[in-house]
Amino acid sequence: MEIVKTAWPALSPFVRDYVDGRAAARARFVYPPFDATTWDARAARLRYPAERRAALADALAAFNRAVGNHPAALANVERLRDPAALVVVGGQQAGLLTGPLYTVYKALTLIRVARREEARLGRPVVPVFWIAGEDHDVAEPGHVTVLTPDRTLETVRLSIQPKARVSVSRWRLPPGELEAVVERVFALLPDTEFKPAWREKLLAFAAESDTLVTFFARVMAELFGKHGLVLLDSGDVNLAPLKVDAFRAAVERNDDLRAALAQNAAWFVAQGLTPQVDVRDGDAHLFWTGAGERKKLWVRDGAFVTDDGTLHLTPAELARRVTDAPEEFSADVVTRPLTQEALLPVLAFVGGPGEIAYWGLYKELFALAGWEMPPVVPRLSVTLVEGTLQKALRRAGLSPREALVDPDALEAAWRKGLGVLDFDAAFAEAETALADLYARLAERFAPLGQAARDLTEASRARAQEGLAWLRRRLEREWEARHEASLRQLRRVRLSLWPKDRLQERVFNVFAYLVRYDGLVDRLLDALGEPDGRHAIVLL
């Protein structure tokens, strides 16, 4: 396994500026993510109530035992009882079979950063993976995409959807649903030495699970538990009492929070950027689940209400309600970082490009709630390049870095290497000459009147059609001569840029685990520290 580093492809301008350390983007955050002084400063400033540690550890221990996490992870849970213990946290929705590859890379980042900072700071630092069990969006985590042996993309989805907006932690799946997904996915994967064992493990995890969250957690525990990764379900009712401070801040400072969010979104717009969060007037940024369905709260006429009027409370009434029954409420994308800060002694947050973009809106929100935004560390970003792809790139005269600029650049460079004729320039020149020719003909025969003009125009149109026909035939002839190489190009592009997106955003890890034994452990050792660059892994 060889690692080649390159610039992180396909980043938005704001995230690119953040990763590169440009002042305007970094000013939206408190700490620079790659500065060694960040960690000592954050650790010194962090205040986490000692009385919460027992409840936190008890809840995490119960969940991690229930999903069969490794003794190393359970030991890390116990270390959280230590008043000096800190966490590095990041997370994702409960994707089928872990979802896209970036989930795996996020977990690897958590483990690496936690290990590094524990050694540096001389105090316990625990990696915690936040499973977004509160979310009700099943469409995104409820599918898995794999590249089949015949080089086609196949997506396997759950066969059912919830009938109401229910948090995925509470949505019970019928018996056999998850096993069917495993069987459908593994039918698409190549037959290898390691495939049967993974299939049996995943079928066992599926049989033991009745929600997406518990299935996801069991798979993640299998992959990362031995490295001490602690799993947290944000929809765990046992954690609800620890969220009260965040919920109360969201209620009592709601006007200020919404105003700060709108002001920060306006900054993005003024820079010519699109805010990652949809800022809507009156959005209270909380959900109420007391009626069994996840319903958004709005601020209307000084009260907090649901769209259907099921809940209608004054700010004082809602503040009491979130205190007395926090299990009835959940955060949205804006208040989730605040609940995370209330729940955990957060040394740092690990996020992907999308998360970095919306956390750029939140610095003042933390301050309004009485906290400080933690360091935001870009997760590891990776593309896996198998041996056959490496050979194809070498034959085309391209390096892995050149292939990972963007998909169109890959295509253009590959075709150029074949000695591609410049059809655009040649036919642009021909069309210009044709237009000049017919302009002169029209001028010369103008004395013949309208009939001559009509005949000239009709001839010009037929000549243009002829040029278009000639171009199509010549391009077809060129492609026929290079058919084998172009077929390789399509294969390479599909493998490195599926759906014209980074591989890590589409493919699932099990397409690789059935072929490369111990891949996750090897990546943990080989990838190095997160540094804002993209790692090309030559398998």
Side-chain angles (χ1 to χ4, degrees):
M1 180 183 290
E2 180 184 350
I3 309 294
V4 177
K5 288 294 188 82
T6 190
W8 194 334
L11 292 181
S12 70
F14 176 76
V15 178
R16 167 67 62 205
D17 287 351
Y18 177 71
V19 167
D20 290 346
R22 298 188 184 278
R26 286 283 174 88
R28 311 301 304 175
F29 300 83
V30 175
Y31 294 99
F34 307 125
D35 191 325
T37 63
T38 284
W39 308 95
D40 293 298
R42 171 64 178 177
R45 293 179 194 170
L46 182 61
R47 297 290 181 268
Y48 184 78
E51 64 273 13
R52 291 186 186 172
R53 288 186 178 272
L56 173 65
D58 288 347
L60 291 178
F63 179 74
N64 282 268
R65 280 196 300 268
V67 298
N69 209 346
H70 193 277
L74 297 176
N76 261 348
V77 170
E78 292 307 310
R79 295 170 79 215
L80 288 173
R81 299 181 191 276
D82 184 338
L86 305 170
V87 308
V88 178
V89 64
Q92 197 61 42
Q93 291 174 301
L96 284 173
L97 303 179
T98 73
L101 279 162
Y102 60 65
T103 303
V104 168
Y105 305 145
K106 198 172 285 184
L108 293 174
T109 311
L110 294 170
I111 295 165
R112 287 204 67 100
V113 173
R115 286 180 178 176
R116 182 192 73 201
E117 292 311 313
E118 177 162 323
R120 273 187 9 89
L121 296 172
R123 56 194 293 186
V125 180
V126 175
V128 175
F129 194 98
W130 179 288
I131 306 170
E134 292 175 311
D135 286 2
H136 59 266
D137 177 14
V138 175
E140 185 172 345
H143 70 274
V144 59
T145 299
V146 296
L147 183 63
T148 67
D150 61 358
R151 296 293 158 177
T152 60
L153 286 182
E154 295 287 345
T155 297
V156 175
R157 303 179 187 278
L158 293 171
S159 66
I160 58 171
Q161 293 290 312
K163 295 179 181 178
R165 288 160 58 99
V166 180
S167 297
V168 293
S169 291
R170 302 181 186 183
W171 181 43
R172 301 287 181 249
L173 292 165
E177 176 68 17
L178 292 169
E179 292 95 314
V181 167
V182 173
E183 293 287 28
R184 284 155 57 202
V185 169
F186 271 65
L188 296 170
L189 299 180
D191 293 325
T192 68
E193 175 186 355
F194 312 112
K195 180 179 175 179
W198 273 118
R199 175 180 168 274
E200 290 306 313
K201 281 184 181 180
L202 293 172
L203 285 173
F205 295 153
E208 295 167 351
S209 305
D210 61 353
T211 69
L212 285 174
V213 168
T214 50
F215 183 47
F216 176 87
R218 285 188 168 94
V219 179
M220 291 291 284
E222 175 67 22
L223 293 174
F224 301 105
K226 63 186 173 183
H227 301 295
L229 185 68
V230 173
L231 303 171
L232 180 155
D233 172 16
S234 69
D236 186 346
V237 294
N238 294 318
L239 293 172
L242 301 178
K243 301 177 185 178
V244 169
D245 284 356
F247 290 160
R248 287 190 66 95
V251 174
E252 294 168 353
R253 302 300 303 272
N254 197 270
D255 289 346
D256 295 330
L257 290 170
R258 287 186 290 113
L261 185 65
Q263 183 176 357
N264 291 343
W267 178 89
F268 275 78
V269 173
Q271 306 303 310
L273 305 171
T274 301
Q276 188 75 8
V277 174
D278 183 16
V279 179
R280 293 176 288 180
D281 187 42
D283 188 340
H285 301 295
L286 287 174
F287 287 92
W288 178 60
T289 59
E293 186 176 354
R294 199 167 185 245
K295 298 182 178 182
K296 191 154 193 58
L297 288 178
W298 300 89
V299 179
R300 292 175 183 158
D301 298 325
F304 289 86
V305 301
T306 56
D307 276 323
D308 61 2
T310 307
L311 192 73
H312 187 289
L313 297 173
T314 66
E317 290 170 336
L318 183 57
R320 287 194 296 272
R321 187 76 165 263
V322 299
T323 302
D324 296 339
E327 70 280 359
E328 293 185 1
F329 297 88
S330 61
D332 76 348
V333 69
V334 173
T335 49
R336 184 177 300 130
L338 302 182
T339 62
Q340 176 181 285
E341 196 70 14
L343 269 174
L344 301 166
V346 180
L347 176 64
F349 171 74
V350 169
E355 292 156 313
I356 292 170
Y358 65 69
W359 274 61
L361 294 160
Y362 297 162
K363 179 179 175 181
E364 290 76 14
L365 276 60
F366 277 89
L368 286 168
W371 292 307
E372 176 189 71
M373 178 189 280
V376 177
V377 180
R379 64 162 170 79
L380 290 164
S381 178
V382 180
T383 293
L384 304 174
V385 185
E386 299 172 81
T388 54
L389 300 179
Q390 296 170 42
K391 291 177 183 177
L393 288 171
R394 282 196 296 269
R395 283 196 295 268
L398 296 175
S399 71
R401 283 194 183 95
E402 290 172 311
L404 266 297
V405 174
D406 67 57
D408 291 336
L410 166 63
E411 179 112 10
W414 190 293
R415 287 175 174 268
K416 183 178 180 181
L418 296 177
V420 64
L421 301 172
D422 194 342
F423 288 99
D424 287 339
F427 279 89
E429 182 181 340
E431 288 174 5
T432 299
L434 189 67
D436 291 342
L437 171 63
Y438 275 92
R440 291 197 301 272
L441 289 172
E443 182 178 0
R444 178 169 295 184
F445 295 103
L448 295 180
Q450 185 63 43
R453 286 193 293 274
D454 291 344
L455 288 170
T456 303
E457 177 58 27
S459 177
R460 185 195 63 77
R462 285 196 295 272
Q464 280 193 316
E465 289 174 2
L467 275 180
W469 174 86
L470 178 61
R471 175 170 182 164
R472 289 194 299 271
R473 292 301 300 267
L474 290 174
E475 287 180 337
R476 198 176 305 164
E477 178 66 21
W478 182 87
E479 290 186 359
R481 290 195 177 195
H482 299 286
E483 180 182 358
S485 183
L486 292 174
R487 191 165 52 246
Q488 284 277 32
L489 167 61
R490 289 190 290 272
R491 178 180 176 227
V492 170
R493 180 166 179 161
L494 186 64
S495 298
L496 301 183
W497 291 96
K499 302 181 181 179
D500 285 349
R501 305 170 72 191
L502 278 175
Q503 179 195 89
E504 64 185 18
R505 304 197 65 80
V506 178
F507 291 155
N508 178 264
V509 70
F510 281 97
Y512 297 92
L513 289 178
V514 299
R515 286 176 286 170
Y516 300 98
D517 187 36
L519 177 63
V520 167
D521 298 337
R522 291 161 60 201
L523 287 172
L524 180 61
D525 293 334
L527 284 174
E529 301 302 330
D531 58 6
R533 293 186 295 166
H534 186 75
I536 304 170
V537 177
L538 306 179
L539 296 173

